[in-house]
Protein backbone atom coordinates (compact mmCIF):
# COMPACT_ATOMS: atom_id res chain seq x y z
CA UNK A 1 0.00 0.00 0.00
CA UNK A 2 2.92 2.40 0.56
CA UNK A 3 6.41 3.06 -0.81
CA UNK A 4 9.51 4.21 0.97
CA UNK A 5 10.16 7.93 0.43
CA UNK A 6 13.21 8.06 2.71
CA UNK A 7 14.71 6.48 5.79
CA UNK A 8 11.95 5.30 8.08
CA UNK A 9 9.16 7.05 6.14
CA UNK A 10 6.61 5.57 3.77
CA UNK A 11 3.93 7.25 1.67
CA UNK A 12 0.81 5.89 0.02
CA UNK A 13 0.20 6.40 -3.73
CA UNK A 14 -3.10 8.15 -4.38
CA UNK A 15 -5.00 8.86 -7.59
CA UNK A 16 -6.91 11.68 -9.24
CA UNK A 17 -9.38 11.84 -12.11
CA UNK A 18 -6.79 12.04 -14.92
CA UNK A 19 -5.06 8.83 -13.80
CA UNK A 20 -7.98 6.40 -14.04
CA UNK A 21 -10.56 5.19 -16.56
CA UNK A 22 -13.79 3.19 -16.42
CA UNK A 23 -14.10 -0.21 -18.11
CA UNK A 24 -17.33 -1.30 -19.87
CA UNK A 25 -18.79 -4.59 -18.73
CA UNK A 26 -20.75 -7.28 -20.55
CA UNK A 27 -24.11 -5.50 -20.44
CA UNK A 28 -25.18 -2.11 -21.75
CA UNK A 29 -28.31 -0.13 -20.92
CA UNK A 30 -30.33 2.43 -22.84
CA UNK A 31 -29.14 5.76 -21.33
CA UNK A 32 -32.74 7.02 -21.33
CA UNK A 33 -33.66 4.21 -18.92
CA UNK A 34 -30.98 4.62 -16.24
CA UNK A 35 -31.94 6.07 -12.86
CA UNK A 36 -29.83 8.96 -11.54
CA UNK A 37 -32.03 9.71 -8.51
CA UNK A 38 -30.35 11.18 -5.44
CA UNK A 39 -32.22 11.17 -2.12
CA UNK A 40 -31.54 13.70 0.63
CA UNK A 41 -33.93 13.64 3.56
CA UNK A 42 -37.49 13.68 2.23
CA UNK A 43 -36.45 15.04 -1.16
CA UNK A 44 -35.65 13.16 -4.36
CA UNK A 45 -33.50 14.85 -7.00
CA UNK A 46 -33.33 13.59 -10.57
CA UNK A 47 -29.98 15.32 -11.08
CA UNK A 48 -27.43 14.17 -8.46
CA UNK A 49 -25.33 17.28 -9.02
CA UNK A 50 -25.02 20.19 -6.59
CA UNK A 51 -23.96 23.69 -7.58
CA UNK A 52 -21.30 24.67 -5.05
CA UNK A 53 -21.99 27.23 -2.33
CA UNK A 54 -19.81 29.91 -3.88
CA UNK A 55 -20.80 33.51 -4.49
CA UNK A 56 -19.82 33.49 -8.15
CA UNK A 57 -22.07 30.47 -8.74
CA UNK A 58 -25.24 30.57 -6.64
CA UNK A 59 -27.70 33.33 -5.83
CA UNK A 60 -31.45 33.09 -5.32
CA UNK A 61 -32.27 33.16 -9.05
CA UNK A 62 -29.69 30.48 -9.81
CA UNK A 63 -30.93 28.29 -6.95
CA UNK A 64 -34.47 28.49 -8.27
CA UNK A 65 -33.41 27.67 -11.83
CA UNK A 66 -31.30 24.72 -10.64
CA UNK A 67 -34.13 23.41 -8.48
CA UNK A 68 -36.59 23.52 -11.35
CA UNK A 69 -34.18 21.39 -13.40
CA UNK A 70 -34.08 18.71 -10.69
CA UNK A 71 -30.70 19.62 -9.23
CA UNK A 72 -29.47 21.33 -6.07
CA UNK A 73 -27.87 24.74 -5.67
CA UNK A 74 -26.32 25.61 -2.31
CA UNK A 75 -26.50 29.21 -1.10
CA UNK A 76 -23.54 30.49 0.92
CA UNK A 77 -24.85 32.16 4.11
CA UNK A 78 -21.42 33.63 4.88
CA UNK A 79 -21.21 35.47 1.58
CA UNK A 80 -22.31 38.45 -0.42
CA UNK A 81 -25.95 37.40 -0.69
CA UNK A 82 -26.44 37.81 3.06
CA UNK A 83 -24.21 40.85 3.59
CA UNK A 84 -25.68 43.16 0.99
CA UNK A 85 -29.33 43.93 0.26
CA UNK A 86 -28.46 44.48 -3.41
CA UNK A 87 -25.37 42.35 -4.13
CA UNK A 88 -25.31 42.92 -7.90
CA UNK A 89 -23.04 45.98 -7.66
CA UNK A 90 -20.61 44.11 -5.39
CA UNK A 91 -20.45 41.21 -7.84
CA UNK A 92 -19.67 43.65 -10.67
CA UNK A 93 -16.82 45.15 -8.63
CA UNK A 94 -15.26 41.73 -8.12
CA UNK A 95 -15.65 40.80 -11.79
CA UNK A 96 -14.08 44.07 -12.98
CA UNK A 97 -11.07 44.00 -10.63
CA UNK A 98 -7.63 43.26 -12.03
CA UNK A 99 -6.04 39.92 -11.05
CA UNK A 100 -3.66 41.83 -8.78
CA UNK A 101 -6.52 43.63 -7.02
CA UNK A 102 -9.07 40.80 -6.84
CA UNK A 103 -8.07 39.05 -3.61
CA UNK A 104 -7.57 42.28 -1.66
CA UNK A 105 -10.94 43.56 -2.90
CA UNK A 106 -12.74 40.35 -1.93
CA UNK A 107 -11.16 40.49 1.53
CA UNK A 108 -12.44 44.04 2.04
CA UNK A 109 -15.96 43.28 0.78
CA UNK A 110 -16.33 40.27 3.09
CA UNK A 111 -14.89 42.01 6.16
CA UNK A 112 -17.10 41.08 9.11
CA UNK A 113 -16.61 44.28 11.07
CA UNK A 114 -17.62 46.52 8.17
CA UNK A 115 -20.07 44.27 6.32
CA UNK A 116 -21.45 41.63 8.70
CA UNK A 117 -23.96 39.01 7.67
CA UNK A 118 -27.50 40.32 8.23
CA UNK A 119 -29.88 37.87 9.85
CA UNK A 120 -32.88 39.31 8.00
CA UNK A 121 -31.18 38.62 4.65
CA UNK A 122 -30.64 34.96 5.57
CA UNK A 123 -34.38 34.57 6.05
CA UNK A 124 -35.21 36.70 3.02
CA UNK A 125 -33.05 34.66 0.62
CA UNK A 126 -34.34 31.31 1.84
CA UNK A 127 -37.96 32.47 1.73
CA UNK A 128 -37.48 33.66 -1.86
CA UNK A 129 -36.20 30.22 -2.91
CA UNK A 130 -39.02 28.43 -1.10
CA UNK A 131 -41.60 30.73 -2.68
CA UNK A 132 -40.57 29.29 -6.05
CA UNK A 133 -41.47 25.80 -4.71
CA UNK A 134 -37.97 24.33 -4.94
CA UNK A 135 -35.83 22.99 -2.08
CA UNK A 136 -33.60 25.50 -0.29
CA UNK A 137 -30.15 24.21 0.70
CA UNK A 138 -27.66 26.51 2.46
CA UNK A 139 -24.18 26.35 3.97
CA UNK A 140 -21.99 28.18 6.44
CA UNK A 141 -18.80 27.75 8.47
CA UNK A 142 -18.96 25.98 11.86
CA UNK A 143 -18.59 29.22 13.87
CA UNK A 144 -21.88 30.52 12.45
CA UNK A 145 -23.83 27.27 12.27
CA UNK A 146 -25.64 27.43 15.61
CA UNK A 147 -27.17 30.85 14.95
CA UNK A 148 -27.67 30.61 11.20
CA UNK A 149 -29.33 27.18 11.35
CA UNK A 150 -32.07 28.51 13.64
CA UNK A 151 -32.80 31.41 11.30
CA UNK A 152 -32.69 29.09 8.29
CA UNK A 153 -35.01 26.54 9.89
CA UNK A 154 -37.57 29.23 10.71
CA UNK A 155 -37.44 30.37 7.08
CA UNK A 156 -38.15 26.82 5.83
CA UNK A 157 -34.73 25.55 4.76
CA UNK A 158 -34.64 21.91 3.57
CA UNK A 159 -31.03 20.98 4.40
CA UNK A 160 -28.11 22.66 6.13
CA UNK A 161 -24.43 22.23 5.29
CA UNK A 162 -21.64 22.94 7.78
CA UNK A 163 -18.52 23.33 5.70
CA UNK A 164 -14.88 23.95 6.62
CA UNK A 165 -11.50 23.32 5.01
CA UNK A 166 -11.04 20.22 7.18
CA UNK A 167 -13.98 18.90 9.20
CA UNK A 168 -13.36 17.03 12.45
CA UNK A 169 -15.55 16.05 15.38
CA UNK A 170 -12.71 16.85 17.80
CA UNK A 171 -11.72 20.44 17.00
CA UNK A 172 -9.49 22.05 19.64
CA UNK A 173 -9.69 25.81 20.26
CA UNK A 174 -9.60 28.17 23.23
CA UNK A 175 -10.23 31.49 21.44
CA UNK A 176 -13.81 30.69 20.43
CA UNK A 177 -16.60 28.25 21.23
CA UNK A 178 -16.28 25.02 19.28
CA UNK A 179 -19.39 23.68 17.54
CA UNK A 180 -20.48 20.34 19.00
CA UNK A 181 -21.25 18.54 15.74
CA UNK A 182 -23.03 15.60 17.39
CA UNK A 183 -25.31 17.90 19.36
CA UNK A 184 -25.86 20.09 16.32
CA UNK A 185 -26.92 17.15 14.14
CA UNK A 186 -29.30 15.87 16.83
CA UNK A 187 -30.99 19.21 17.49
CA UNK A 188 -31.24 20.51 13.93
CA UNK A 189 -34.62 19.60 12.45
CA UNK A 190 -33.42 19.25 8.84
CA UNK A 191 -30.72 17.02 7.29
CA UNK A 192 -27.20 18.21 8.15
CA UNK A 193 -24.38 17.67 5.66
CA UNK A 194 -20.86 17.92 7.07
CA UNK A 195 -17.55 18.48 5.31
CA UNK A 196 -14.95 18.46 4.11
CA UNK A 197 -13.03 15.23 4.63
CA UNK A 198 -10.69 12.95 2.67
CA UNK A 199 -10.10 9.99 5.01
CA UNK A 200 -11.90 6.84 6.12
CA UNK A 201 -11.45 7.56 9.83
CA UNK A 202 -12.82 11.10 9.76
CA UNK A 203 -15.76 10.12 7.57
CA UNK A 204 -16.71 7.40 10.03
CA UNK A 205 -16.58 9.88 12.94
CA UNK A 206 -18.82 12.35 11.10
CA UNK A 207 -21.30 9.55 10.36
CA UNK A 208 -21.30 8.51 14.02
CA UNK A 209 -21.94 12.16 14.93
CA UNK A 210 -25.18 12.07 12.94
CA UNK A 211 -24.34 13.54 9.54
CA UNK A 212 -27.03 13.13 6.87
CA UNK A 213 -24.37 13.47 4.17
CA UNK A 214 -20.63 14.06 3.92
CA UNK A 215 -18.66 16.27 1.51
CA UNK A 216 -15.45 14.70 0.20
CA UNK A 217 -12.53 16.81 -0.99
CA UNK A 218 -9.86 19.18 0.26
CA UNK A 219 -8.42 21.66 -2.20
CA UNK A 220 -9.32 20.25 -5.65
CA UNK A 221 -11.62 23.10 -6.71
CA UNK A 222 -10.67 25.27 -9.69
CA UNK A 223 -10.59 28.43 -7.54
CA UNK A 224 -9.17 26.84 -4.37
CA UNK A 225 -5.51 27.28 -3.41
CA UNK A 226 -5.48 25.28 -0.14
CA UNK A 227 -3.22 22.62 -1.62
CA UNK A 228 -0.64 25.23 -2.56
CA UNK A 229 -0.99 27.40 0.54
CA UNK A 230 -1.25 24.62 3.14
CA UNK A 231 0.19 21.60 1.34
CA UNK A 232 -2.77 19.42 2.29
CA UNK A 233 -5.20 17.28 0.32
CA UNK A 234 -5.78 13.86 -1.21
CA UNK A 235 -6.54 13.34 -4.94
CA UNK A 236 -10.26 12.91 -5.44
CA UNK A 237 -10.48 9.31 -6.68
CA UNK A 238 -8.61 7.96 -3.67
CA UNK A 239 -10.39 10.32 -1.27
CA UNK A 240 -13.80 9.27 -2.60
CA UNK A 241 -13.01 5.53 -2.48
CA UNK A 242 -11.73 5.79 1.10
CA UNK A 243 -14.64 7.87 2.40
CA UNK A 244 -17.20 5.67 0.66
CA UNK A 245 -15.62 2.62 2.28
CA UNK A 246 -16.45 4.24 5.62
CA UNK A 247 -20.03 4.80 4.46
CA UNK A 248 -20.38 1.14 3.52
CA UNK A 249 -18.92 -0.03 6.83
CA UNK A 250 -21.28 2.29 8.72
CA UNK A 251 -24.23 0.95 6.73
CA UNK A 252 -23.34 -2.66 7.55
CA UNK A 253 -22.96 -1.85 11.23
CA UNK A 254 -25.81 0.63 11.74
CA UNK A 255 -28.19 -0.13 8.88
CA UNK A 256 -28.25 3.53 7.81
CA UNK A 257 -27.06 4.53 4.35
CA UNK A 258 -25.58 8.04 4.38
CA UNK A 259 -24.70 9.62 1.01
CA UNK A 260 -21.18 10.71 0.09
CA UNK A 261 -20.81 13.83 -2.06
CA UNK A 262 -17.57 14.33 -3.97
CA UNK A 263 -16.86 18.06 -3.80
CA UNK A 264 -14.55 19.76 -6.28
CA UNK A 265 -12.06 18.94 -9.00
CA UNK A 266 -14.61 18.00 -11.67
CA UNK A 267 -14.67 20.18 -14.78
CA UNK A 268 -16.34 17.89 -17.28
CA UNK A 269 -18.74 14.98 -17.59
CA UNK A 270 -16.09 12.27 -17.62
CA UNK A 271 -14.70 13.36 -14.27
CA UNK A 272 -18.18 13.40 -12.75
CA UNK A 273 -18.74 9.85 -14.03
CA UNK A 274 -15.47 8.73 -12.42
CA UNK A 275 -16.53 10.23 -9.09
CA UNK A 276 -19.69 8.10 -9.12
CA UNK A 277 -17.70 5.01 -10.08
CA UNK A 278 -15.42 5.69 -7.08
CA UNK A 279 -18.50 5.44 -4.86
CA UNK A 280 -20.06 8.90 -4.72
CA UNK A 281 -23.83 9.32 -4.41
CA UNK A 282 -23.80 12.91 -5.65
CA UNK A 283 -21.23 15.49 -6.67
CA UNK A 284 -20.72 19.18 -5.93
CA UNK A 285 -19.43 21.30 -8.82
CA UNK A 286 -18.45 24.95 -8.96
CA UNK A 287 -16.54 26.10 -12.03
CA UNK A 288 -18.77 24.31 -14.55
CA UNK A 289 -21.80 26.22 -13.25
CA UNK A 290 -19.91 29.49 -12.91
CA UNK A 291 -19.91 29.43 -16.73
CA UNK A 292 -23.70 29.57 -16.87
CA UNK A 293 -25.48 32.67 -18.12
CA UNK A 294 -27.51 32.63 -14.89
CA UNK A 295 -24.44 32.54 -12.61
CA UNK A 296 -24.07 35.76 -10.58
CA UNK A 297 -20.30 35.96 -11.07
CA UNK A 298 -20.60 37.12 -14.67
CA UNK A 299 -18.03 34.62 -15.93
CA UNK A 300 -15.81 34.88 -12.84
CA UNK A 301 -15.42 32.39 -10.02
CA UNK A 302 -13.65 32.65 -6.66
CA UNK A 303 -12.90 30.30 -3.81
CA UNK A 304 -14.80 30.30 -0.53
CA UNK A 305 -11.62 31.09 1.41
CA UNK A 306 -10.47 33.87 -0.92
CA UNK A 307 -11.86 36.36 1.59
CA UNK A 308 -9.90 35.03 4.58
CA UNK A 309 -8.50 38.09 6.34
CA UNK A 310 -5.16 36.54 7.23
CA UNK A 311 -4.43 33.63 4.88
CA UNK A 312 -6.49 33.52 1.65
CA UNK A 313 -6.79 29.98 0.30
CA UNK A 314 -8.71 30.77 -2.86
CA UNK A 315 -8.36 32.96 -5.89
CA UNK A 316 -10.56 34.63 -8.47
CA UNK A 317 -10.43 33.02 -11.89
CA UNK A 318 -12.08 33.84 -15.19
CA UNK A 319 -14.11 30.91 -16.51
CA UNK A 320 -16.14 32.82 -19.10
CA UNK A 321 -19.78 32.23 -20.00
CA UNK A 322 -20.41 29.25 -22.24
CA UNK A 323 -24.18 28.69 -22.19
CA UNK A 324 -27.36 28.50 -20.18
CA UNK A 325 -27.69 26.51 -16.98
CA UNK A 326 -30.02 24.11 -18.78
CA UNK A 327 -27.42 23.49 -21.50
CA UNK A 328 -24.69 22.88 -18.92
CA UNK A 329 -26.77 20.54 -16.79
CA UNK A 330 -29.19 18.92 -19.23
CA UNK A 331 -28.05 19.87 -22.74
CA UNK A 332 -28.12 19.97 -25.63
CA UNK A 333 -24.37 20.60 -25.56
CA UNK A 334 -23.06 23.37 -27.82
CA UNK A 335 -19.39 22.54 -27.17
CA UNK A 336 -17.39 19.33 -27.59
CA UNK A 337 -15.23 19.30 -24.46
CA UNK A 338 -17.60 17.65 -22.00
CA UNK A 339 -18.41 20.83 -20.06
CA UNK A 340 -22.09 20.80 -21.06
CA UNK A 341 -24.95 18.29 -20.71
CA UNK A 342 -23.43 16.81 -17.57
CA UNK A 343 -26.48 14.66 -16.88
CA UNK A 344 -26.48 13.39 -20.45
CA UNK A 345 -22.83 12.42 -20.04
CA UNK A 346 -23.58 10.62 -16.78
CA UNK A 347 -26.51 8.71 -18.25
CA UNK A 348 -24.58 7.75 -21.39
CA UNK A 349 -21.61 6.59 -19.32
CA UNK A 350 -23.87 4.57 -17.02
CA UNK A 351 -25.55 2.98 -20.01
CA UNK A 352 -22.21 2.09 -21.60
CA UNK A 353 -21.02 0.58 -18.32
CA UNK A 354 -24.23 -1.38 -17.75
CA UNK A 355 -25.15 0.52 -14.59
CA UNK A 356 -28.93 0.94 -14.20
CA UNK A 357 -28.65 3.23 -11.18
CA UNK A 358 -26.08 5.09 -9.11
CA UNK A 359 -25.46 2.19 -6.73
CA UNK A 360 -24.65 -0.12 -9.65
CA UNK A 361 -22.28 2.60 -10.89
CA UNK A 362 -20.29 2.06 -7.68
CA UNK A 363 -19.38 -1.45 -8.82
CA UNK A 364 -17.96 -0.76 -12.29
CA UNK A 365 -14.32 -1.56 -12.96
CA UNK A 366 -11.77 1.22 -12.55
CA UNK A 367 -8.30 0.90 -14.05
CA UNK A 368 -5.11 2.92 -13.72
CA UNK A 369 -4.72 4.65 -17.08
CA UNK A 370 -2.33 7.61 -17.07
CA UNK A 371 -2.46 7.77 -20.88
CA UNK A 372 -6.25 8.07 -20.99
CA UNK A 373 -6.15 11.84 -21.59
CA UNK A 374 -3.48 11.81 -24.32
CA UNK A 375 -3.60 8.49 -26.19
CA UNK A 376 -4.43 9.17 -29.83
CA UNK A 377 -5.24 12.83 -29.14
CA UNK A 378 -2.19 14.45 -30.73
CA UNK A 379 -4.23 16.58 -33.15
CA UNK A 380 -6.68 17.72 -30.46
CA UNK A 381 -3.76 18.66 -28.22
CA UNK A 382 -1.88 20.41 -30.99
CA UNK A 383 -4.94 22.37 -32.12
CA UNK A 384 -6.25 22.93 -28.56
CA UNK A 385 -9.72 21.59 -29.35
CA UNK A 386 -11.89 18.92 -27.72
CA UNK A 387 -9.80 17.05 -25.11
CA UNK A 388 -6.78 19.16 -26.00
CA UNK A 389 -8.12 22.37 -24.52
Amino acid sequence: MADWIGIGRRARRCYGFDEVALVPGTVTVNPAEVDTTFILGKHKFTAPIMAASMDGVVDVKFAIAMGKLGGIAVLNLDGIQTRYEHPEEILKQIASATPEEATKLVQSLYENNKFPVKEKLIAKRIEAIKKAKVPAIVSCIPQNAALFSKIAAAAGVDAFIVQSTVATVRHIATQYKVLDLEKFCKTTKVPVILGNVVTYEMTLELLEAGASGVLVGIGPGAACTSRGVLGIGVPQITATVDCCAARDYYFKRRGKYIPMITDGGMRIGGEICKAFAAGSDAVMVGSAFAKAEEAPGGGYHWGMATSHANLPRGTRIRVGTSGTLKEILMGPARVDDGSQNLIGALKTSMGSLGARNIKEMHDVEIILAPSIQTEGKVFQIGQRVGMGK
Side-chain angles (χ1 to χ4, degrees), residues 38-363:
F38 170 61
I39 298 174
L40 180 62
K42 64 181 180 180
H43 295 283
K44 288 186 177 182
F45 300 92
T46 56
I49 300 179
M50 295 181 170
S53 54
M54 305 170 92
D55 282 346
V57 179
V58 178
D59 62 4
V60 170
K61 291 181 180 178
F62 187 99
I64 292 171
M66 188 78 170
K68 288 186 179 297
L69 290 171
I72 307 167
V74 183
L75 187 72
N76 176 17
L77 297 187
D78 299 310
I80 285 173
Q81 298 297 322
T82 54
R83 294 174 190 268
Y84 299 91
E85 183 76 40
H86 303 289
E88 297 80 13
E89 182 56 40
I90 304 301
L91 291 162
K92 288 179 183 177
Q93 287 184 41
I94 295 173
S96 61
T98 65
E100 294 76 18
E101 297 171 338
T103 297
K104 189 175 181 180
L105 175 64
V106 169
Q107 285 178 306
S108 68
L109 293 171
Y110 285 72
E111 192 174 337
N112 275 322
N113 292 335
K114 290 183 179 179
F115 309 107
V117 171
K118 297 179 176 64
E119 295 180 15
K120 67 175 184 179
L121 288 181
I122 293 176
K124 183 177 180 179
R125 304 307 185 210
I126 293 170
E127 288 167 357
I129 296 171
K130 293 296 293 180
K131 188 176 180 180
K133 301 189 186 307
V134 299
I137 317 292
V138 299
S139 78
C140 76
I141 60 175
Q143 292 93 317
N144 294 331
L147 174 60
F148 290 2
S149 64
K150 290 182 174 62
I151 301 168
V157 78
D158 293 285
F160 197 93
I161 300 176
V162 182
Q163 195 165 9
S164 54
T165 301
V166 177
T168 62
V169 172
R170 294 164 290 170
H171 180 60
I172 300 170
T174 58
Q175 294 182 336
Y176 51 84
K177 185 177 180 180
V178 174
L179 178 67
D180 184 329
L181 289 178
E182 185 171 0
K183 181 180 178 181
F184 182 80
C185 290
K186 286 181 179 178
T187 57
T188 303
K189 303 301 183 184
V190 297
V192 174
I193 298 172
L194 302 176
N196 283 42
V197 296
V198 289
T199 67
Y200 178 98
E201 294 80 8
M202 195 58 252
T203 301
L204 195 56
E205 290 196 14
L206 293 184
L207 295 176
E208 294 286 2
S212 298
V214 176
L215 294 175
V216 178
I218 294 176
C224 183
T225 61
S226 290
R227 290 180 174 180
V229 175
L230 305 179
I232 64 175
V234 174
Q236 284 290 66
I237 289 293
T238 297
T240 300
V241 169
D242 288 353
C243 294
C244 290
R247 173 204 60 203
D248 295 342
Y249 175 76
Y250 182 81
F251 175 65
K252 288 178 182 177
R253 192 171 65 171
R254 301 290 192 187
K256 291 177 64 177
Y257 187 91
I258 308 298
M260 296 290 114
I261 304 160
T262 300
D263 176 17
M266 294 155 287
R267 305 159 296 135
I268 54 179
E271 292 164 349
I272 288 172
C273 297
K274 292 175 186 180
F276 283 105
S280 195
D281 300 287
V283 297
M284 180 177 276
V285 177
S287 59
F289 292 124
K291 297 179 180 181
E293 292 175 6
E294 296 89 340
Y300 285 87
H301 180 44
W302 52 97
M304 293 179 71
T306 306
S307 58
H308 194 284
N310 184 47
L311 191 65
R313 298 184 301 282
T315 190
R316 189 208 64 176
I317 58 174
R318 185 181 183 279
V319 296
T321 300
S322 64
T324 66
L325 173 58
K326 184 176 184 297
E327 288 171 339
I328 291 170
L329 186 64
M330 299 290 189
R334 308 296 182 188
V335 295
D336 59 4
D337 61 0
S339 64
Q340 294 185 353
N341 197 2
L342 301 178
I343 292 297
L346 176 60
K347 288 184 173 183
T348 301
S349 179
M350 290 173 66
S352 299
L353 294 163
R356 294 168 294 179
N357 53 53
I358 296 298
K359 286 191 177 181
E360 288 189 5
M361 189 71 167
H362 296 169
D363 295 327

